Amino acid sequence: MLILALADLYVPERATDLPKQFKKLLQPNGKINKVVCLGNTGSSKLVKEYLESLTNDKSNFHMVRGETDTDVTLPQSLVLTVDNLKIGIINGFQVVPKTDALSLLNHARMMDADILISGGTHRVEAYTLDGKFFVNPGTATGAFTTDSLEPVDTSFCLLEVVNNTCTLYLYTLVDGDVKIDKLVYSKDSV
């Protein structure tokens, strides 16, 4: 199963759209099984419609509420079971202190998740801690963050889940070109 994870779009408040390089890669083609959005999409309804169009079935679009989202019907967290892995999804504003690995580990444990996907920092990262896999897809539009004056990379992630293994592909826009990094997490090997 192929899962697209992205966050912190802020269209049109902080960015105009996803980069054309990303849109070219993400054309609806039936390969993406699920789309996970970690919130903060911005006020443009077109963004959510575009993300929903990337799967064959709108029920495979999952979104949690970010701190700037106004739709109070969105959940603050979700847990998806994909093959033999439980994937927890949060925006990240619930994590105190923000980006703290032990706080994220606590959230993963409370959600009984093998993988925790969280956003809110606009910084792409992935790591393993205490047998859990942590993924932050960064910002898919390059939207600035109010937490820092440092520029952020434009990024998103694809997770390929088969049985107990997740292969993570990190897509980052660097000088107009898409760079892809790959990491593998296996529940059995931790």
Side-chain angles (χ1 to χ4, degrees):
M1 174 159 305
L2 195 59
I3 304 166
L4 168 65
L6 32 61
D8 300 314
L9 305 166
Y10 289 101
V11 175
E13 290 81 5
R14 299 183 194 177
T16 56
D17 202 357
L18 273 82
K20 64 180 187 272
Q21 297 92 326
F22 285 0
K23 280 198 160 184
K24 185 177 178 183
L25 291 169
L26 296 174
Q27 292 179 15
N29 58 16
K31 292 182 181 179
I32 296 173
N33 304 104
K34 291 187 182 293
V35 174
V36 171
C37 180
L38 307 178
N40 296 331
T41 57
S43 60
S44 173
K45 294 187 186 300
L46 296 175
V47 171
K48 186 176 176 190
E49 290 171 7
Y50 170 73
L51 296 176
E52 288 175 338
S53 78
L54 296 176
T55 69
N56 293 333
D57 181 351
K58 283 187 179 185
S59 69
N60 289 324
F61 174 76
H62 305 279
M63 183 171 163
V64 294
R65 186 167 33 136
E67 70 271 21
T68 64
D69 290 322
T70 56
D71 183 354
V72 295
T73 64
L74 290 171
Q76 286 199 24
S77 65
L78 289 171
V79 177
L80 303 176
T81 301
V82 180
D83 283 355
N84 297 324
L85 295 174
K86 286 186 179 178
I87 303 172
I89 304 158
I90 60 174
N91 168 267
F93 72 86
Q94 308 93 325
V95 178
V96 179
K98 206 171 202 175
T99 75
D100 182 70
L102 294 178
S103 292
L104 286 164
L105 178 60
N106 189 44
H107 278 276
R109 286 177 176 159
M110 287 189 305
M111 297 172 83
D112 191 30
D114 303 302
I115 300 170
L116 182 67
I117 305 173
S118 65
T121 67
H122 301 226
R123 305 223 180 264
V124 63
E125 70 177 335
Y127 58 90
T128 303
L129 177 64
D130 200 26
K132 310 277 185 194
F133 191 44
F134 297 88
V135 177
N136 186 329
T139 169
T141 60
F144 69 88
T145 175
T146 57
D147 293 341
S148 170
L149 297 175
E150 297 294 317
V152 294
D153 291 328
T154 305
S155 57
F156 70 89
C157 298
L158 284 173
L159 296 87
E160 184 178 21
V161 176
V162 178
N163 296 322
N164 294 337
T165 302
C166 174
T167 303
L168 176 70
Y169 300 93
L170 302 165
Y171 290 77
T172 309
L173 193 60
V174 179
D175 297 325
D177 293 319
V178 178
K179 175 185 165 208
I180 305 169
D181 291 306
K182 177 180 163 183
L183 296 163
V184 178
Y185 163 80
S186 181
K187 185 176 173 180
D188 294 335
S189 67
V190 290

